[in-house]
């Protein structure tokens, strides 16, 4: 798997552009698509029901939250009304190992390496390796498109992004897992907020938290605010299943998706001549665009949950009733409504495009590729004749591969 592109690049350096494409990161990107092997089989669901590190998984769907959609649900480690680690939910499959156990006092390593013995340092590194691998598996399993984009980062930045994504995924799953009442959810979110604070203080609770705590240490520009805002977005999902205006929906999109851009910006870095503040607005725009795409893709699933994310003012403007949407009536009025929503999402993608070249060189291709791959879902909705009630819009692995050269060219210096 690692020989062919190297030999090819050395034997046929037809041009300076070709030599540049043969940079190790881009060879790795091509390998990811062309020779996925056992890993791609795992992502496609070949491994039954769980990761090899013990994250229990179950089918689920929906349109809220970070990366939501028809995917899988990880059994959460926060138990309602209990101290961390007590009374965990049962795994959905009998052969699942269950969620990660809490770290023992001896495993909650001091992040200051100067205070650690060689044996403790070796033990911590072993645990960190396991932690980051688990975050990688979570990212690959829940968001194939996003994961493909992250594989284009240098290894240290990819690992950091996986740690952030794993936290977001677990936050999302707190809201989505079955429960008897909403009171327990509020309790869990309060406990989750406490655990987040502990992570920022270098006190990870379990193996997955460990990777995020290490990421916070390695990237000190990371702030806790966007993580806290995402938790607020989960509360919105609890209290609100209708949005009167786009302004209301924007706040929701920011909290559950736009925050991811703020979380990862210090990891990606910016190009010379630009600051994080310069790249902030495009990063937020990309989060909003991704979430608007999720919403349009998942209308058919969300209607079964009695959730409507399309603004009420837009339904009235195009003459589409809630009852017709819930029933899945694909009328001319509904098609006109979808065309309007798709155009709005594309406008947010255009705003996001302006910020790609503000990022560090090594971050541009991953972000550009993710943008192109995800926005292509809108093309799929159109190709499905705007039937997002019964047909799920998605891009295949090979279609994503076809988008990669164009994404690479768009990130080249003018």
């Amino acid at each position: 798997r690692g020989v062919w592109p190297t030999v090819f690049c050395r034997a046929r350096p037809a041009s300076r552009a070709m030599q540049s494409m043969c940079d190790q990161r881009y060879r790795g990107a091509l390998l990811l698509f062309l020779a996925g092997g056992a890993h791609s089989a795992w992502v496609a669901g070949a491994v039954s029901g769980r990761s090899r590190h013990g994250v229990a998984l179950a089918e689920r769907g929906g349109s809220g939250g970070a990366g939501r959609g028809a995917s899988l649900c990880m059994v959460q480690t926060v138990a309602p009304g209990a101290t961390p680690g007590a009374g965990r939910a049962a795994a959905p499959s009998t052969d699942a190992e269950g969620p990660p156990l809490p770290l023992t006092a001896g495993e909650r390593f001091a992040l200051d390496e100067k205070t650690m013995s060689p044996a403790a340092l070796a033990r911590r590194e072993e645990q960190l390796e396991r932690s980051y691998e688990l975050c990688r598996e979570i990212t690959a399993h829940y968001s194939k498109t996003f994961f493909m984009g992250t594989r284009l980062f240098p290894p240290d930045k990819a690992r950091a992004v996986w740690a952030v994504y794993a936290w977001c995924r677990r936050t999302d799953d707190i809201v989505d897992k079955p429960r008897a009442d909403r009171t327990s959810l509020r309790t869990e979110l309060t406990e989750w907020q406490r655990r987040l604070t502990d992570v920022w203080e270098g006190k990870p609770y379990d193996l997955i938290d460990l990777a995020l705590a290490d990421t916070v240490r390695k990237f000190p520009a990371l702030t806790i605010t966007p993580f806290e805002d995402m938790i607020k977005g989960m509360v919105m999902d609890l209290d609100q299943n209708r949005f009167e205006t786009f302004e209301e929906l924007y706040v929701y999109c920011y909290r559950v998706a736009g925050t991811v851009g703020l979380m990862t910006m210090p990891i990606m870095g910016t190009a010379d001549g630009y600051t994080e503040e310069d790249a902030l607005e495009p990063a937020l725009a990309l989060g909003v665009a991704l979430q608007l795409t999720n919403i349009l893709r998942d209308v058919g699933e969300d209607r079964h949950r009695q959730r409507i994310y399309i603004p009420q003012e837009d339904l009235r403007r195009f003459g589409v009733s809630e009852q017709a949407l819930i029933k899945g009536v694909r009328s001319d009025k509904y098609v006109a409504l979808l065309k309007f929503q798709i155009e709005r999402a594309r406008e947010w993608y255009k705003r996001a495009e302006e910020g790609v070249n503000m990022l560090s060189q090594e971050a541009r291709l991953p972000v550009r590729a993710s943008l192109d791959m995800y926005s292509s879902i809108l093309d799929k909705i159109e190709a499905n004749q705007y039937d997002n009630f019964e047909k799920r819009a998605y891009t295949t692995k090979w279609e994503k591969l076809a988008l990669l050269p164009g994404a690479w060219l768009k990130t080249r210096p003018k």
Side-chain angles (χ1 to χ4, degrees):
R1 296 171 61 179
V3 175
W4 173 78
T6 303
V7 173
F8 177 81
C9 293
R10 289 177 179 172
R12 299 182 60 187
S15 67
R16 184 171 300 176
M18 176 61 75
Q19 289 176 339
S20 179
M21 278 199 71
C22 291
D23 178 275
Q24 182 178 4
R25 292 195 302 274
Y26 305 121
R27 292 203 309 268
L30 292 174
L31 278 176
L32 169 67
F33 288 101
L34 294 174
H39 171 71
S40 294
W42 187 92
V43 173
V47 174
S48 60
R50 62 180 174 88
S51 82
R52 61 178 178 271
H53 286 284
V55 175
L57 306 168
E59 294 290 347
R60 43 88 69 180
S63 185
R68 288 194 194 180
S71 60
L72 295 163
C73 177
M74 180 169 56
V75 173
Q76 191 48 250
T77 61
V78 180
T83 56
R88 286 185 180 79
S93 59
T94 56
D95 66 336
E97 300 170 42
L101 294 175
L103 296 172
T104 66
E107 292 172 329
R108 293 175 186 172
F109 305 110
L111 294 179
D112 184 0
E113 297 179 0
K114 297 178 181 178
T115 66
M116 301 176 67
S117 67
L121 182 60
R123 172 66 174 158
R124 190 197 70 170
E125 292 305 311
E126 178 186 347
Q127 289 287 74
L128 277 174
E129 193 64 30
R130 290 177 57 205
S131 179
Y132 278 115
E133 172 61 15
L134 183 52
C135 293
R136 183 195 68 80
E137 291 184 354
I138 290 170
T139 308
H141 203 105
Y142 293 124
S143 183
K144 299 175 180 64
T145 297
F146 181 75
F147 177 71
M148 284 185 173
T150 64
R151 290 299 298 268
L152 306 180
F153 280 117
D156 60 329
K157 292 191 175 184
R159 283 157 55 100
V161 172
W162 296 337
V164 169
Y165 182 88
W167 183 89
C168 295
R169 182 71 261 171
R170 299 172 90 192
T171 304
D172 193 31
D173 285 344
I174 291 176
V175 176
D176 284 344
K177 76 177 185 181
R179 64 186 70 249
D181 60 75
R182 295 300 180 94
T183 303
S184 64
L185 173 55
R186 296 184 189 280
T187 302
E188 285 192 56
L189 288 173
T190 299
E191 174 59 29
W192 193 242
Q193 171 67 59
R194 188 195 67 76
R195 280 178 56 173
L196 176 66
T197 302
D198 285 347
V199 165
W200 245 257
E201 294 175 356
K203 298 182 291 186
Y205 167 69
D206 65 14
L207 196 59
I208 304 178
D209 286 348
L210 181 62
L212 182 58
D214 187 60
T215 295
V216 171
R217 179 179 69 92
K218 291 178 177 177
F219 297 90
L222 277 170
T223 68
I224 197 172
T225 301
F227 293 82
E228 293 176 328
D229 285 345
M230 177 169 282
I231 295 176
K232 293 176 183 176
M234 299 302 108
V235 175
M236 285 184 71
D237 228 359
L238 171 64
D239 295 333
Q240 187 172 0
N241 60 11
R242 299 290 189 278
F243 298 87
E244 177 60 29
T245 65
F246 179 74
E247 286 69 27
E248 285 186 13
L249 182 62
Y250 172 83
V251 173
Y252 173 73
C253 290
Y254 157 70
R255 287 180 173 173
V256 301
T259 49
V260 178
L262 303 188
M263 295 173 189
T264 55
M265 181 69 69
I267 298 171
M268 292 187 292
T270 55
D272 292 341
Y274 294 101
T275 66
E276 287 187 15
E277 185 176 354
D278 295 328
L280 177 63
E281 187 173 340
L284 292 175
L286 180 56
V288 172
L290 297 179
Q291 190 58 26
L292 291 177
T293 303
N294 283 343
I295 288 170
L296 297 178
R297 180 194 62 192
D298 296 338
V299 167
E301 295 162 15
D302 288 330
R303 67 190 177 101
H304 294 304
R305 303 164 64 214
Q306 302 298 307
R307 303 192 69 86
I308 299 177
Y309 290 91
I310 295 175
Q312 297 291 302
E313 63 180 4
D314 294 342
L315 294 179
R316 291 192 296 269
R317 174 181 173 183
F318 288 91
V320 177
S321 67
E322 280 197 16
Q323 294 77 10
L325 192 152
I326 295 296
K327 291 180 180 178
V329 178
R330 186 163 55 97
S331 63
D332 290 342
K333 292 180 179 179
Y334 180 74
V335 170
L337 170 66
L338 271 195
K339 289 180 178 179
F340 174 77
Q341 302 298 323
I342 290 172
E343 183 58 32
R344 171 184 280 163
R346 284 178 173 149
E347 288 175 1
W348 284 95
Y349 279 115
K350 289 177 183 177
R351 297 184 192 184
E353 288 175 354
E354 297 173 2
V356 173
N357 287 333
M358 297 180 186
L359 301 175
S360 64
Q361 182 64 46
E362 60 194 11
R364 292 176 192 173
L365 179 59
V367 172
R368 182 76 230 194
S370 296
L371 186 157
D372 289 350
M373 291 174 191
Y374 224 88
S375 62
S376 68
I377 293 174
L378 300 175
D379 301 332
K380 289 291 185 175
I381 295 174
E382 293 173 330
N384 289 341
Q385 301 298 310
Y386 303 95
D387 183 3
N388 56 356
F389 292 125
E390 304 298 336
K391 297 179 180 179
R392 182 171 175 81
Y394 69 95
T395 51
T396 67
K397 174 181 174 181
W398 294 107
E399 287 170 332
K400 292 170 185 175
L401 170 61
L403 293 170
L404 189 59
W408 180 82
L409 289 172
K410 292 171 186 175
T411 61
R412 296 298 87 199
K414 301 294 185 182

